[in-house]
Amino acid sequence: MIKIVEVGPRDGLQNEKTILTTEDKFKFISLLSLSGLKNIEVTSFVKATAIPQMGDATELFKMVQSQLDFGHLNFPCLVPNIQGYETAKKLGVKEIALFSATSDSFTKKNVNATVEETFNRMQEVAQEARKDGIKIRGYVSTAFGCPYEGAMDVAKLINVTDRFFKLGIYEVSVGDTIGVATPGQVRSFIKHLKTSFDLKNLAMHFHDTRGMALTNILVSLEEGISTFDSSAGGLGGCPYAKGATGNVATEDVWYLLHSMGCETGIEISKLAEASKFILEKINRPTESKFLRAYLNTGKV
Ligand code: MG
């Protein structure tokens, strides 16, 4: 069984210009949950002034919790700081995601802190979450390359991943934030990661900016990775290459996995329905080649 973490409602919509109503976001998440996806990242508890797309986090999570929380679904939420954590905790969020990167230039631009400082900030949040019995996932951005520093060394990734595990997180998502990773680099990085960590606790988060996402996923599978992040319909552009593709589409990942006989638990017609709904709301075509073909032919 391959675990897919659906990041469309958060990572996807955060990077789309259109700001949707809470009802539309809820409907999208609700359709996604009917497709068999078990892990759906709902929102981010950031200040609305910082990321207006996520400004309704509290309202949205309340709707998800009261109407979709059937016990067997995970609805993680991104938490940037202790204030966000307190809000999430009060609402009854059961899983949070924390984030850092391998590049100081990137974290400085993003959250005005060095990598070291992001871990100092996360320390307090992680400590509280552990005490409160809330699960923690970690995101490492710029794992393969940084828009400001270029190619990244695997030693930095190992170091940041190790620091995440020391915070008590259960899964680290290794992010190719600007979509520059290549299959050879991915294979080499995973071989290094394997020597320090159990691959069961690692996820890969690829972007299709340069068309390599599925190939990178195939290589990751061959090397023993069994968890992947993806975004329904390929939602979310790339803020570092205007107009370019961001997150790999869940439908494309499904087609690859399905072709190899890997179980995902996803019912593709239902997933396509969710993507179609949200793409119409933001008024843009899908980035997913599979979804385009599927919607045009009605066939897998
Ligand atoms: Mg992403």
Side-chain angles (χ1 to χ4, degrees), residues 7 10-12 15 177 205-207 246-247:
V7 298
R10 200 281 303 169
D11 188 6
N15 291 302
T177 312
H205 182 117
F206 288 117
H207 284 195
N247 296 303

Side-chain angles (χ1 to χ4, degrees), residues 135-161:
K135 284 174 83 180
I136 319 168
R137 190 168 198 256
Y139 282 109
V140 184
S141 289
T142 65
F144 299 94
C146 167
Y148 316 109
E149 293 184 18
M152 283 284 137
D153 196 283
V154 71
K156 289 194 171 176
L157 175 59
I158 289 177
N159 180 271
V160 169
T161 304

Side-chain angles (χ1 to χ4, degrees), residues 178 194 281:
I178 52 169
K194 254 188 242 193
K281 290 291 171 188

